[in-house]
Amino acid sequence: MNEASSSFGPSFGLGVLVPATFVLLAILILAARGVRSNAGRLVMASLWLRYMMGAYHAYTFKPLFAGLSANALASIAVVGLGGVIIRKRHLTLSVLPPLYLLMALLLVSAVLNDDPSGALNSVVKYAYFGIILIATFEALRQEDRERFMNRLVWAFAPLMLFQFLSVALNLPKGSELGDGLVWIGGYNHEAAFSVALLTGFTVACLAFRLHPALRFLFLFATAFGVLLAGYRTAMLAMLPLAFATFWIAITQYVKPDQRRPVSVAMLMLCLVGAAVVIVAYQDRFTDLATFLSDPGSLIKDPRSFTQMDRQIMSGRALIWSEYLTAYARGTPVNHIFGFGPESWADAFKVYPHNTLVSTLYELGGLGVGAMLLLWIVMAAQAFGARRHERLILIAAHVSFILLNFATMPFWQVEGLALYAVLSGYTLFSARAAAVSRGGAGRGSVRSSSESRGGRQEIRQRLRGSPYNRDNRLLRPTRPA
């Protein structure tokens, strides 16, 4: 709920924001009319609201009530409303214990460091993640023919419109490196804006039932938007997902006997495209290559950094070294439980720009273990997803993990929304695949209301759908 930067970027005036808000609200309402579940409406409205409030950052970042900003209050409201809407039994989903462990460690670390209130901010953000994850999972189960992702793409209309306006009205922002201009729609910082666009790109990758022309148009628009935002961490993180999506999608529209040569051609095209992006932004990636060639040489005592070392990767190597050095100088309790949630703000000028480094400093070794466990549990679900989605979901998790190594999506609500939607979809796909495999193995799939839906089940099964007439996942039962 805190923001990535205390200094505000250029913002549109109310003369632009207010009319645009009414237009975007109308778009949201029209799109939401096609969403049948309250869980789906919650996800769509929550993402839309966050992106709209980002455009009003000159107002929403400031303390409004009890020291909380409008953004923070909105996140609390989403958690409270979500707690009413979601089904309580889904709070015990098998993928959630690592999240609960992280939340418990937040509280323990805060108490051990004499700052019980310091955990409130982080606990609310992690609760936001859990609510959006469960709501996404429920929406996918309840919506007809899995069209929820088709509707969800409209939640990203604010990002697209405001970025277009920033270009049309010539309202750029100085880049993070200070070596050029970026176009982020009047938002505060390119990090949060780029992560939000990456969320839209991910949703479009998973909108398999969206019309191909509209889907590829949205994929291109969000990918190009990330390039315009100029945040190289998001550019790099997007590559695995973009590669998997375009490679698979193109081959789906050709005859089976042509898929192998088309797959090879698409592989080469994707590699050429990645090379073109790297060459076009070679100035931004040169120091990354320098770091990767010998990362150990740049993780050292901050006092030994030369002026040239300090410039590499926008100073990230120096930032990480400062945090790791401070952690090493802590007590044994700090090594295990960290220095407390959000404690970096009192000791450093900038946030860690790395989720694991941040977690190590704030929650200690146990926190890093819990974070890695969460990533592993969620990624493992992707390996059990339905066949046509498996590669894209695996690539999406790889992209998200890469994002964590040079920025902190777990600190940004935009990043938590990205991971929640991805994890909710992954869990849904894995459950659907498990039901299909169970039904095939037993030779029979039945609904609990067999007397009313037997024929419908057969038709759904022949179409390869794991749903019954009530849009609920079918459960495998013993043969009659």
Side-chain angles (χ1 to χ4, degrees):
M1 292 183 294
N2 295 328
E3 310 307 333
S5 175
S6 60
S7 60
F8 293 160
S11 174
F12 293 117
L14 293 178
V16 173
L17 288 173
V18 173
T21 299
F22 281 108
V23 172
L24 292 167
L25 181 60
I27 293 174
L28 176 71
I29 293 173
L30 289 174
R33 290 178 64 184
V35 178
R36 299 174 57 185
S37 65
N38 288 332
R41 297 188 189 102
L42 173 69
V43 175
M44 179 177 289
S46 298
L47 268 60
W48 183 91
L49 178 63
R50 180 67 187 187
Y51 304 146
M52 282 302 306
M53 296 183 76
Y56 284 86
H57 63 79
Y59 310 97
T60 58
F61 283 14
K62 296 177 180 178
L64 183 64
F65 175 76
L68 298 174
S69 67
N71 276 346
L73 293 172
S75 298
I76 294 172
V78 168
V79 172
L81 182 60
V84 175
I85 290 177
I86 64 170
R87 298 179 180 179
K88 305 304 180 289
R89 62 188 176 87
H90 287 153
L91 292 171
T92 60
L93 287 171
S94 60
V95 297
L96 293 179
L99 175 65
Y100 297 148
L101 176 59
L102 276 169
M103 296 173 73
L105 287 172
L106 287 168
L107 297 172
V108 171
S109 180
V111 171
L112 291 176
N113 287 281
D114 298 322
D115 185 20
S117 62
L120 176 62
N121 187 38
S122 298
V123 167
V124 170
K125 287 194 292 188
Y126 282 18
Y128 180 98
F129 165 75
I131 290 293
I132 299 299
L133 186 158
I134 294 171
T136 301
F137 173 70
E138 290 186 1
L140 288 164
R141 296 184 69 184
Q142 296 168 19
E143 295 297 326
D144 181 41
R145 298 185 68 189
E146 304 171 36
R147 295 189 183 277
F148 171 63
M149 303 303 277
N150 300 7
R151 298 289 180 176
L152 188 58
V153 298
W154 295 104
F156 303 91
L159 303 173
M160 313 302 294
L161 176 60
F162 286 126
Q163 188 176 47
F164 169 78
L165 290 176
S166 70
V167 175
L169 300 177
N170 192 28
L171 188 70
K173 175 184 178 293
S175 71
E176 182 186 37
L177 298 177
D179 60 355
L181 300 176
V182 295
W183 308 88
I184 57 173
Y187 284 69
N188 180 51
H189 194 272
E190 52 264 43
F193 185 77
S194 297
V195 171
L197 278 175
L198 187 56
T199 308
F201 185 83
T202 302
V203 168
C205 289
L206 299 174
F208 295 101
R209 294 186 180 274
L210 191 63
H211 189 281
L214 183 58
R215 185 186 181 206
F216 281 108
L217 177 62
F218 190 81
L219 285 170
F220 174 79
T222 49
F224 187 65
V226 171
L227 296 180
L228 286 177
Y231 198 64
R232 61 183 170 187
T233 301
M235 295 181 203
L236 284 171
M238 184 174 61
L239 288 179
L241 178 57
F243 175 84
T245 299
F246 286 105
W247 185 27
I248 290 178
I250 293 298
T251 60
Q252 289 177 340
Y253 302 109
V254 299
K255 296 178 180 179
D257 59 343
Q258 298 176 345
R259 286 179 180 172
R260 181 170 295 180
V262 171
S263 297
V264 174
M266 282 304 302
L267 175 61
M268 298 303 298
L269 183 60
C270 289
L271 292 176
V272 171
V276 169
V277 171
I278 292 174
V279 170
Y281 291 85
Q282 58 180 330
D283 293 339
R284 293 179 176 270
F285 294 113
T286 299
D287 54 353
L288 175 61
T290 301
F291 175 80
L292 293 177
S293 65
D294 190 8
S297 65
L298 289 173
I299 302 299
K300 56 187 178 182
D301 190 323
R303 293 173 297 181
S304 64
F305 271 70
T306 65
Q307 188 62 34
M308 184 176 294
D309 291 339
R310 293 171 180 269
Q311 305 303 317
I312 294 177
M313 293 181 63
S314 305
R316 279 172 170 76
L318 174 62
I319 295 170
W320 299 338
S321 294
E322 289 175 340
Y323 276 88
L324 294 175
T325 299
Y327 171 78
R329 293 172 179 170
T331 67
V333 173
N334 295 137
H335 292 163
I336 298 173
F337 295 101
F339 291 86
E342 304 286 349
S343 56
W344 65 267
D346 298 324
F348 300 93
K349 293 182 179 180
V350 294
Y351 78 146
H353 288 79
N354 184 300
T355 295
L356 294 182
V357 171
S358 172
T359 305
L360 182 67
Y361 183 81
E362 295 185 4
L363 302 181
L366 287 180
V368 170
M371 184 64 71
L372 291 174
L373 180 62
L374 178 63
W375 293 355
I376 292 171
V377 167
M378 294 299 181
Q381 296 291 317
F383 284 90
R386 292 178 292 191
R387 181 176 299 177
H388 70 282
E389 300 168 329
R390 189 175 303 155
L391 180 60
I392 291 178
L393 285 172
I394 292 172
H397 282 272
V398 171
S399 289
F400 179 79
I401 292 172
L402 286 176
L403 190 66
N404 282 270
F405 283 102
T407 192
M408 289 169 53
F410 267 83
W411 186 66
Q412 305 163 347
V413 173
E414 291 81 2
L416 290 169
L418 163 59
Y419 198 41
V421 172
L422 171 60
S423 299
Y425 192 103
T426 304
L427 180 61
F428 162 77
S429 182
R431 291 289 182 91
V435 168
S436 296
R437 290 192 297 268
R442 294 176 183 271
S444 172
V445 177
R446 294 189 196 176
S447 167
S448 58
S449 56
E450 188 175 52
S451 60
R452 293 182 294 128
R455 293 181 181 178
Q456 178 71 9
E457 284 179 31
I458 295 174
R459 289 195 294 269
Q460 295 281 15
R461 188 179 175 193
L462 289 175
R463 289 199 295 266
S465 172
Y467 292 87
N468 64 7
R469 65 190 298 170
D470 299 316
N471 293 312
R472 300 176 185 273
L473 280 169
L474 301 176
R475 299 179 180 274
T477 58
R478 296 184 180 277

